[in-house]
Each structure stands twice: as C-alpha cells, then as structure tokens.
Coordinates of all heavy atoms in Angstrom, one line a residue:
D270 N -42.7 -33.4 200.7 CA -42.7 -32.3 201.8 C -43.6 -31.3 201.6 O -44.3 -31.0 200.6 CB -41.2 -31.8 201.8 CG -40.9 -31.0 200.6 OD1 -41.6 -31.1 199.4 OD2 -40.0 -30.2 200.6
G271 N -43.7 -30.2 202.5 CA -44.9 -29.2 202.3 C -44.7 -28.3 201.2 O -45.6 -27.9 200.6
Y272 N -43.4 -28.1 200.8 CA -43.1 -27.1 199.7 C -43.5 -27.8 198.5 O -44.2 -27.1 197.6 CB -41.5 -26.7 199.6 CG -41.3 -25.7 198.8 CD1 -41.6 -24.5 199.0 CD2 -40.6 -25.9 197.6 CE1 -41.4 -23.4 198.0 CE2 -40.1 -25.0 196.7 CZ -40.5 -23.7 196.9 OH -40.3 -22.7 196.1
G273 N -43.1 -29.1 198.3 CA -43.7 -29.7 197.0 C -45.1 -29.8 197.0 O -45.8 -29.7 195.7
L274 N -45.9 -30.0 198.0 CA -47.4 -29.9 198.1 C -47.9 -28.6 197.6 O -48.8 -28.5 196.8 CB -47.9 -30.4 199.5 CG -47.5 -31.7 200.0 CD1 -48.0 -31.8 201.5 CD2 -48.3 -32.8 199.2
I275 N -47.3 -27.5 198.1 CA -47.8 -26.1 197.7 C -47.5 -26.0 196.3 O -48.4 -25.4 195.6 CB -47.0 -25.1 198.6 CG1 -47.5 -25.2 200.0 CG2 -47.2 -23.8 198.1 CD1 -46.6 -24.4 201.1
L276 N -46.3 -26.3 195.7 CA -46.0 -26.2 194.3 C -47.1 -27.0 193.4 O -47.4 -26.4 192.4 CB -44.6 -26.5 193.9 CG -43.5 -25.6 194.5 CD1 -42.1 -26.2 194.3 CD2 -43.6 -24.2 193.9
S277 N -47.3 -28.2 193.8 CA -48.1 -28.9 193.0 C -49.5 -28.4 193.0 O -50.2 -28.3 192.0 CB -48.2 -30.4 193.7 OG -49.2 -31.2 193.1
L278 N -50.0 -27.9 194.1 CA -51.3 -27.4 194.3 C -51.4 -26.1 193.4 O -52.3 -25.8 192.7 CB -51.7 -27.3 195.8 CG -53.2 -26.5 196.0 CD1 -54.2 -27.3 195.4 CD2 -53.3 -26.1 197.4
A279 N -50.4 -25.3 193.6 CA -50.3 -24.0 192.9 C -50.4 -24.1 191.3 O -51.1 -23.6 190.6 CB -49.1 -23.2 193.2
A280 N -49.6 -25.1 190.9 CA -49.7 -25.6 189.5 C -51.0 -26.0 189.0 O -51.6 -25.4 187.9 CB -48.5 -26.6 189.1
E281 N -51.7 -26.8 189.7 CA -53.1 -27.2 189.4 C -54.1 -26.1 189.3 O -54.9 -26.0 188.4 CB -53.5 -28.3 190.3 CG -54.9 -28.8 190.1 CD -55.4 -29.9 191.0 OE1 -54.5 -30.4 191.7 OE2 -56.6 -30.2 190.8
V282 N -54.0 -25.2 190.4 CA -54.9 -24.2 190.5 C -54.6 -23.2 189.4 O -55.6 -22.6 188.8 CB -54.8 -23.5 191.9 CG1 -55.5 -22.0 191.9 CG2 -55.5 -24.4 192.9
R283 N -53.4 -22.9 189.1 CA -53.0 -22.0 188.0 C -53.6 -22.3 186.7 O -54.1 -21.6 185.8 CB -51.5 -21.9 187.9 CG -51.1 -20.8 186.9 CD -49.7 -20.6 186.9 NE -48.9 -20.4 188.1 CZ -48.8 -19.1 188.6 NH1 -49.2 -18.0 187.9 NH2 -48.2 -18.8 189.7
R284 N -53.6 -23.7 186.5 CA -54.2 -24.3 185.3 C -55.8 -24.1 185.2 O -56.4 -23.6 184.2 CB -54.0 -25.7 185.1 CG -52.5 -26.1 184.6 CD -52.4 -27.5 184.3 NE -52.7 -28.4 185.3 CZ -51.7 -28.8 186.2 NH1 -50.5 -28.3 186.0 NH2 -52.0 -29.6 187.1
V285 N -56.5 -24.2 186.3 CA -57.9 -24.1 186.4 C -58.2 -22.6 186.1 O -59.1 -22.3 185.4 CB -58.3 -24.4 187.9 CG1 -59.8 -24.0 188.0 CG2 -58.2 -25.9 188.1
L286 N -57.4 -21.7 186.8 CA -57.6 -20.2 186.4 C -57.4 -20.0 185.0 O -58.2 -19.3 184.4 CB -56.8 -19.4 187.2 CG -57.0 -19.3 188.9 CD1 -55.9 -18.5 189.6 CD2 -58.3 -18.8 189.2
A287 N -56.3 -20.4 184.4 CA -56.1 -20.3 182.9 C -57.3 -20.7 182.1 O -57.8 -20.0 181.2 CB -54.8 -20.8 182.6
D288 N -57.7 -21.9 182.4 CA -59.0 -22.4 181.6 C -60.1 -21.5 181.8 O -61.0 -21.5 180.9 CB -59.3 -23.8 182.2 CG -58.4 -24.9 181.9 OD1 -57.5 -24.6 180.9 OD2 -58.4 -26.1 182.5
K289 N -60.2 -20.8 182.8 CA -61.3 -19.8 183.1 C -61.0 -18.4 182.3 O -61.8 -17.5 182.6 CB -61.7 -19.6 184.6 CG -62.3 -20.9 185.1 CD -62.5 -20.7 186.6 CE -63.0 -21.9 187.3 NZ -64.1 -21.8 188.1
G290 N -59.8 -18.3 181.9 CA -59.4 -17.0 181.3 C -59.1 -16.0 182.5 O -59.2 -14.8 182.2
M291 N -58.7 -16.5 183.6 CA -58.4 -15.5 184.8 C -56.8 -15.7 185.1 O -56.3 -16.7 184.9 CB -59.2 -16.0 186.1 CG -60.7 -15.9 185.8 SD -61.5 -16.6 187.2 CE -62.9 -15.5 187.1
Q292 N -56.4 -14.7 185.8 CA -55.2 -14.7 186.5 C -55.2 -13.8 187.8 O -55.9 -12.9 187.8 CB -54.1 -14.4 185.5 CG -54.2 -12.9 184.9 CD -53.1 -12.7 183.9 OE1 -52.0 -13.3 183.9 NE2 -53.3 -11.7 183.0
A293 N -54.1 -14.1 188.6 CA -54.2 -13.2 189.8 C -52.7 -12.8 189.9 O -51.8 -13.6 189.7 CB -54.7 -14.0 191.0
P294 N -52.3 -11.6 190.4 CA -51.1 -11.1 190.7 C -50.3 -11.9 191.8 O -50.9 -12.5 192.7 CB -51.1 -9.6 190.9 CG -52.6 -9.4 191.4 CD -53.3 -10.6 190.7
A295 N -49.1 -11.8 191.8 CA -48.3 -12.5 192.8 C -48.7 -12.1 194.4 O -48.7 -13.1 195.0 CB -46.8 -12.2 192.6
Q296 N -49.0 -10.9 194.6 CA -49.3 -10.6 195.9 C -50.6 -11.3 196.4 O -50.8 -11.6 197.6 CB -49.3 -9.0 196.1 CG -50.4 -8.3 195.4 CD -49.9 -7.8 194.1 OE1 -49.0 -8.3 193.5 NE2 -50.6 -6.7 193.6
V297 N -51.5 -11.4 195.4 CA -52.8 -12.2 195.7 C -52.4 -13.7 196.0 O -53.0 -14.3 196.9 CB -53.8 -12.0 194.7 CG1 -55.0 -12.8 194.8 CG2 -54.2 -10.5 194.5
W298 N -51.6 -14.3 195.2 CA -51.2 -15.7 195.4 C -50.6 -15.8 196.8 O -50.8 -16.7 197.5 CB -50.2 -16.1 194.3 CG -50.9 -16.5 193.1 CD1 -51.1 -15.8 191.9 CD2 -51.3 -18.0 192.8 NE1 -51.8 -16.7 190.9 CE2 -51.8 -17.9 191.6 CE3 -51.2 -19.1 193.6 CZ2 -52.3 -19.0 190.9 CZ3 -51.8 -20.2 193.0 CH2 -52.3 -20.2 191.8
N299 N -49.7 -14.9 197.2 CA -49.0 -14.9 198.5 C -50.0 -14.9 199.5 O -49.8 -15.6 200.5 CB -48.0 -13.8 198.5 CG -46.7 -14.0 197.6 OD1 -46.5 -15.2 197.2 ND2 -46.0 -13.1 197.2
A300 N -51.0 -14.0 199.5 CA -51.8 -13.8 200.5 C -52.8 -15.1 200.6 O -53.2 -15.7 201.7 CB -52.8 -12.7 200.3
A301 N -53.1 -15.7 199.4 CA -54.0 -16.8 199.5 C -53.4 -18.0 199.8 O -54.0 -19.0 200.4 CB -54.5 -17.0 197.9
L302 N -52.1 -18.3 199.6 CA -51.3 -19.3 200.1 C -51.0 -19.1 201.6 O -49.7 -19.1 202.1 CB -50.1 -19.7 199.2 CG -50.4 -20.2 197.9 CD1 -49.2 -19.9 197.1 CD2 -50.9 -21.6 198.1
D303 N -51.9 -18.9 202.5 CA -51.7 -18.6 203.7 C -51.5 -19.7 204.7 O -51.4 -21.0 204.3 CB -53.0 -17.7 204.3 CG -54.2 -18.5 204.3 OD1 -54.3 -19.7 203.9 OD2 -55.3 -17.9 204.5
A304 N -51.3 -19.5 206.0 CA -51.0 -20.6 207.0 C -52.3 -21.7 206.9 O -51.9 -22.9 207.0 CB -50.9 -20.1 208.4
E305 N -53.5 -21.2 206.8 CA -54.6 -22.2 206.8 C -54.6 -23.1 205.6 O -54.8 -24.3 205.7 CB -56.0 -21.4 207.0 CG -57.2 -22.4 206.8 CD -57.3 -23.2 208.1 OE1 -56.7 -22.9 209.1 OE2 -58.3 -24.2 208.0
T306 N -54.2 -22.6 204.4 CA -54.1 -23.3 203.3 C -53.1 -24.4 203.4 O -53.1 -25.5 203.1 CB -54.0 -22.4 201.9 OG1 -55.1 -21.6 201.9 CG2 -53.9 -23.2 200.8
R307 N -51.9 -23.9 203.8 CA -50.7 -24.8 204.0 C -51.1 -25.9 205.0 O -50.6 -27.1 204.9 CB -49.5 -24.0 204.5 CG -49.0 -23.0 203.4 CD -47.7 -22.5 203.7 NE -47.5 -21.7 205.0 CZ -47.8 -20.4 205.2 NH1 -48.2 -19.8 204.1 NH2 -47.8 -19.9 206.4
R308 N -51.8 -25.5 206.2 CA -52.1 -26.5 207.2 C -53.0 -27.5 206.5 O -52.8 -28.8 206.8 CB -52.8 -25.8 208.4 CG -53.1 -26.8 209.4 CD -54.1 -26.2 210.5 NE -55.4 -25.8 210.0 CZ -56.5 -26.6 209.7 NH1 -56.3 -27.9 209.9 NH2 -57.5 -26.2 209.3
L309 N -54.0 -27.2 205.8 CA -54.8 -28.2 205.1 C -54.0 -29.1 204.2 O -54.3 -30.3 204.3 CB -55.9 -27.5 204.4 CG -57.0 -26.8 205.1 CD1 -57.9 -25.8 204.1 CD2 -57.9 -27.8 205.9
L310 N -53.1 -28.6 203.5 CA -52.2 -29.4 202.6 C -51.4 -30.4 203.5 O -51.4 -31.7 203.2 CB -51.3 -28.6 201.8 CG -51.8 -28.0 200.6 CD1 -50.8 -27.2 199.9 CD2 -52.1 -29.3 199.6
V311 N -50.9 -30.1 204.5 CA -49.9 -30.8 205.4 C -50.8 -31.9 205.9 O -50.3 -33.0 206.1 CB -49.2 -29.9 206.4 CG1 -48.5 -30.8 207.3 CG2 -48.1 -29.1 205.6
E312 N -52.0 -31.6 206.3 CA -52.9 -32.6 207.0 C -53.6 -33.5 206.0 O -54.4 -34.3 206.3 CB -54.1 -31.8 207.8 CG -53.5 -31.1 209.0 CD -54.6 -30.5 209.8 OE1 -55.8 -30.3 209.3 OE2 -54.2 -29.8 210.8
G313 N -53.2 -33.4 204.8 CA -53.8 -34.3 203.7 C -55.1 -33.8 203.1 O -55.8 -34.6 202.5
K314 N -55.5 -32.7 203.5 CA -56.8 -32.2 203.0 C -56.7 -31.4 201.7 O -57.0 -30.2 201.6 CB -57.6 -31.4 204.2 CG -57.7 -32.3 205.4 CD -58.3 -31.4 206.6 CE -58.5 -32.2 207.7 NZ -59.0 -31.5 208.8
R315 N -56.2 -32.0 200.7 CA -55.8 -31.3 199.4 C -57.0 -30.7 198.7 O -56.9 -29.5 198.3 CB -55.1 -32.3 198.6 CG -54.5 -31.5 197.3 CD -53.7 -32.5 196.5 NE -52.8 -31.9 195.6 CZ -53.3 -31.3 194.4 NH1 -54.5 -31.1 194.1 NH2 -52.2 -30.7 193.8
E316 N -58.2 -31.4 198.7 CA -59.3 -30.8 198.1 C -59.7 -29.6 198.9 O -60.2 -28.5 198.1 CB -60.4 -31.8 197.9 CG -60.2 -32.7 196.8 CD -59.9 -32.1 195.5 OE1 -60.8 -31.2 195.0 OE2 -58.9 -32.4 194.7
E317 N -59.8 -29.6 200.1 CA -60.2 -28.4 200.8 C -59.1 -27.3 200.6 O -59.6 -26.1 200.5 CB -60.2 -28.7 202.3 CG -61.4 -29.6 202.7 CD -61.4 -29.9 204.2 OE1 -61.2 -28.8 205.1 OE2 -61.5 -31.1 204.7
A318 N -58.0 -27.6 200.6 CA -56.9 -26.5 200.3 C -57.2 -25.9 198.9 O -57.0 -24.7 198.8 CB -55.6 -27.0 200.5
K319 N -57.4 -26.8 197.9 CA -57.6 -26.3 196.6 C -58.8 -25.5 196.5 O -58.8 -24.4 195.9 CB -57.8 -27.6 195.7 CG -58.0 -27.2 194.3 CD -58.1 -28.4 193.4 CE -58.6 -28.2 192.0 NZ -58.8 -29.4 191.2
E320 N -59.9 -25.8 197.1 CA -61.2 -25.0 197.1 C -60.9 -23.7 197.7 O -61.4 -22.6 197.3 CB -62.3 -25.8 197.7 CG -62.8 -26.9 197.0 CD -63.7 -27.8 197.7 OE1 -64.2 -27.5 198.8 OE2 -63.9 -28.9 197.3
R321 N -60.2 -23.6 198.9 CA -59.8 -22.5 199.6 C -59.0 -21.5 198.7 O -59.3 -20.3 198.6 CB -59.3 -22.7 200.9 CG -58.9 -21.5 201.7 CD -58.1 -21.9 203.1 NE -57.5 -20.9 203.7 CZ -58.2 -20.0 204.6 NH1 -59.4 -20.3 204.8 NH2 -57.7 -19.1 205.1
L322 N -58.1 -22.1 198.2 CA -57.0 -21.2 197.2 C -57.9 -20.8 196.0 O -57.7 -19.5 195.7 CB -55.8 -22.2 196.8 CG -54.9 -21.4 195.9 CD1 -54.3 -20.2 196.6 CD2 -53.8 -22.5 195.7
L323 N -58.7 -21.5 195.3 CA -59.4 -21.1 194.2 C -60.4 -20.1 194.5 O -60.5 -19.1 193.8 CB -60.2 -22.3 193.7 CG -59.4 -23.0 192.5 CD1 -60.1 -24.4 192.2 CD2 -59.2 -22.3 191.3
R324 N -61.0 -20.1 195.7 CA -62.1 -19.0 196.1 C -61.4 -17.7 196.2 O -61.9 -16.7 195.8 CB -62.6 -19.4 197.5 CG -64.0 -20.1 197.3 CD -64.7 -20.3 198.7 NE -64.0 -20.6 199.8 CZ -63.7 -21.7 200.3 NH1 -64.2 -22.9 199.6 NH2 -63.0 -22.0 201.3
A325 N -60.2 -17.8 196.9 CA -59.4 -16.5 197.1 C -59.0 -15.9 195.8 O -59.2 -14.7 195.7 CB -58.3 -16.7 198.1
L326 N -58.5 -16.9 194.9 CA -58.0 -16.2 193.8 C -59.0 -15.7 192.8 O -58.9 -14.7 192.1 CB -57.0 -17.2 193.0 CG -55.8 -17.6 193.9 CD1 -55.0 -18.8 193.4 CD2 -54.8 -16.4 194.0
V327 N -60.1 -16.5 192.6 CA -61.2 -16.2 191.8 C -61.9 -14.8 192.2 O -62.2 -14.1 191.4 CB -62.2 -17.3 191.5 CG1 -63.5 -16.8 190.9 CG2 -61.6 -18.5 190.8
S328 N -62.0 -14.8 193.5 CA -62.6 -13.5 194.1 C -61.8 -12.3 193.7 O -62.3 -11.3 193.5 CB -62.8 -13.7 195.6 OG -63.2 -12.5 196.2
A329 N -60.5 -12.4 193.9 CA -59.5 -11.3 193.7 C -59.5 -11.0 192.2 O -59.5 -9.8 191.9 CB -58.1 -11.7 194.1
A330 N -59.5 -12.0 191.4 CA -59.4 -11.9 190.0 C -60.8 -11.1 189.4 O -60.7 -10.2 188.6 CB -59.2 -13.1 189.2
K331 N -62.0 -11.5 189.9 CA -63.2 -10.9 189.6 C -63.2 -9.4 190.1 O -63.6 -8.5 189.5 CB -64.4 -11.6 190.1 CG -64.6 -12.9 189.4 CD -65.9 -13.6 190.0 CE -66.1 -14.9 189.3 NZ -67.3 -15.7 189.8
A332 N -62.8 -9.2 191.3 CA -62.6 -7.9 191.8 C -61.8 -6.9 191.1 O -62.1 -5.7 190.8 CB -62.1 -7.9 193.3
G333 N -60.6 -7.5 190.5 CA -59.7 -6.8 189.7 C -60.2 -6.5 188.3 O -59.6 -5.5 187.7
S334 N -61.2 -7.3 187.9 CA -61.6 -7.1 186.4 C -62.8 -6.2 186.5 O -63.2 -5.7 185.2 CB -62.0 -8.4 185.9 OG -63.2 -8.9 186.5
G335 N -63.3 -5.6 187.6 CA -64.4 -4.8 187.6 C -64.3 -3.5 187.6 O -64.1 -2.6 187.1

C-alpha cells in the first residue's frame, strides 16, 4: 500500500543521510514527503521519488549546518 511504500523509502533515505553524517528535522521530512513524492511512489517510480526526497533533505540539512 502507499503507506508501506512511504515508510520503506523513508527508512532507506534515512540510512543514506546517516551514512553522510546528515539528519533533517521532522518538519523538513514532512514537507519533503509531499504529494509529488507520494505520487511518484504510487506510480512505481521509486528511484525518482528517492532522488526527489534526498535532494530536499540534503538541501535542508546543508542549509541548517551553515
């Protein structure tokens, strides 16, 4: 289901961020998991959704560390 897809993707992206020594606050995650990201997941475009989510979170993490 859609919720399971989101959880799976979020777990994977969280590991990628952790490997880079980065983290993002909950409000950034909530904003990044937007309708477009969810649509991509539901349509089976997981890699596109992952890239979109990572871009948003890495951008926010870098902005917060500066």
Side-chain angles (χ1 to χ4, degrees):
D270 68 342
Y272 190 69
L274 293 172
I275 291 169
L276 288 176
S277 173
L278 180 64
E281 181 179 346
V282 168
R283 188 177 302 274
R284 283 190 300 273
V285 171
L286 289 177
D288 288 346
K289 295 178 182 224
M291 299 176 147
Q292 58 182 340
Q296 66 267 26
V297 174
W298 275 92
N299 290 337
L302 287 166
D303 61 4
E305 178 65 13
T306 301
R307 293 191 308 269
R308 181 189 65 78
L309 289 168
L310 271 176
V311 170
E312 290 179 357
K314 299 176 181 175
R315 191 176 195 286
E316 281 305 308
E317 286 180 51
K319 179 181 173 182
E320 289 169 15
R321 180 180 170 82
L322 184 56
L323 273 170
R324 267 194 314 272
L326 295 171
V327 167
S328 175
K331 286 181 178 177
S334 69

